Amino acid sequence: MNGRIKIIKGDITQQITDAIVNAANRTLLGGGGVDGAIHRAAGRGLLLECMTLNGCETGKAKITKGYNLKAKYVIHTVGPVWNGGNRGEEKLLAGCYHHSLNTALEHNLESISFPAISTGVYGYPPEKAVKVAVSETVKFLNANPDFKEVVFVCFDDHTYKLYEAEMASR
Ligand code: AR6
């Protein structure tokens, strides 16, 4: 991948990529975790724009401006709630990465930061989620050689180590 995938420990609201991805819910009207942090940092303009979007289906993505964030855009995606793994969770999570990356591309963006979608409140096992995240990202970067950078922003050491191990295994 020639250094186009970065894994860092940190806070997604501080990233300076063209877009940051929000692990939202279907209403797109805010919540806890990453969603709460992004809305707090972006300010009320973000909520007002989200109110015009009519929500978002699980596994899909919608884009807004970044308002007070360092990133110019927020791509909101809705991860699946983990229900044991036999309810199409993997395909839906792959859809989150696929649609977020393609939304960035459609808007001529070149860099994007992802949180570990669904691995918090939604309960997706992180060791399974990182495999989906990395595999969709590698597929996308292979198909789009001009896309500059995908950053996986990890909130804790455990998630960070899982991404490192997944990348090392490829
Ligand atoms: N920067 C980076 N990662 C973070 C941050 C941050 N500031 N804060 C938390 N994480 P979650 P989900 C990590 O729960 O599971 C919301 O209420 C966190 O440690 O934010 O997709 C929405 O409105 C975890 O590893 O998202 C939905 O209702 C990961 O980000 C629901 O939660 C995702 O945790 C979505 O749940």
Side-chain angles (χ1 to χ4, degrees):
M1 284 294 106
N2 294 328
R4 290 192 290 153
I5 295 181
K6 252 203 222 157
I7 304 159
I8 64 159
K9 248 192 83 182
D11 178 352
I12 192 128
T13 64
Q14 300 306 309
Q15 301 310 308
I16 53 167
T17 44
D18 294 338
I20 63 172
V21 174
N22 184 14
N25 58 59
R26 291 161 65 109
T27 69
L28 297 186
L29 299 180
V34 174
D35 200 3
I38 288 178
H39 275 273
R40 271 194 301 280
R44 187 156 171 81
L46 181 63
L47 179 62
L48 293 175
E49 186 175 353
C50 283
M51 287 166 79
T52 69
L53 296 179
N54 226 351
C56 181
E57 284 172 44
T58 303
K60 298 282 170 55
K62 289 193 178 174
I63 190 166
T64 63
K65 287 182 283 181
Y67 298 89
N68 299 336
L69 291 164
K70 296 172 184 174
K72 204 158 176 213
Y73 295 94
V74 179
I75 295 174
H76 307 260
T77 189
V78 184
V81 174
W82 181 258
N83 260 308
N86 294 320
R87 303 260 180 97
E89 292 95 331
E90 186 177 329
K91 205 165 170 206
L92 289 167
L93 187 62
C96 290
Y97 287 93
H98 174 83
H99 291 295
S100 297
L101 289 162
N102 281 290
T103 299
L105 190 67
E106 284 157 17
H107 287 78
N108 299 314
L109 310 186
E110 295 184 323
S111 60
I112 188 169
S113 298
F114 280 100
I117 300 163
S118 279
T119 66
V121 176
Y122 281 0
Y124 204 112
E127 61 282 2
K128 289 188 167 53
V130 300
K131 286 188 189 299
V132 176
V134 171
S135 122
E136 283 304 311
T137 299
V138 167
K139 241 192 275 175
F140 174 83
L141 289 175
N142 281 333
N144 298 284
D146 292 335
F147 198 90
K148 289 216 173 91
E149 186 175 62
V150 177
V151 184
F152 293 119
V153 182
C154 308
F155 214 46
D156 55 77
D157 273 328
H158 180 60
T159 307
Y160 180 83
K161 284 183 184 139
L162 289 173
Y163 273 107
E164 289 260 292
E166 183 57 30
M167 286 300 293
S169 76
R170 284 173 173 267

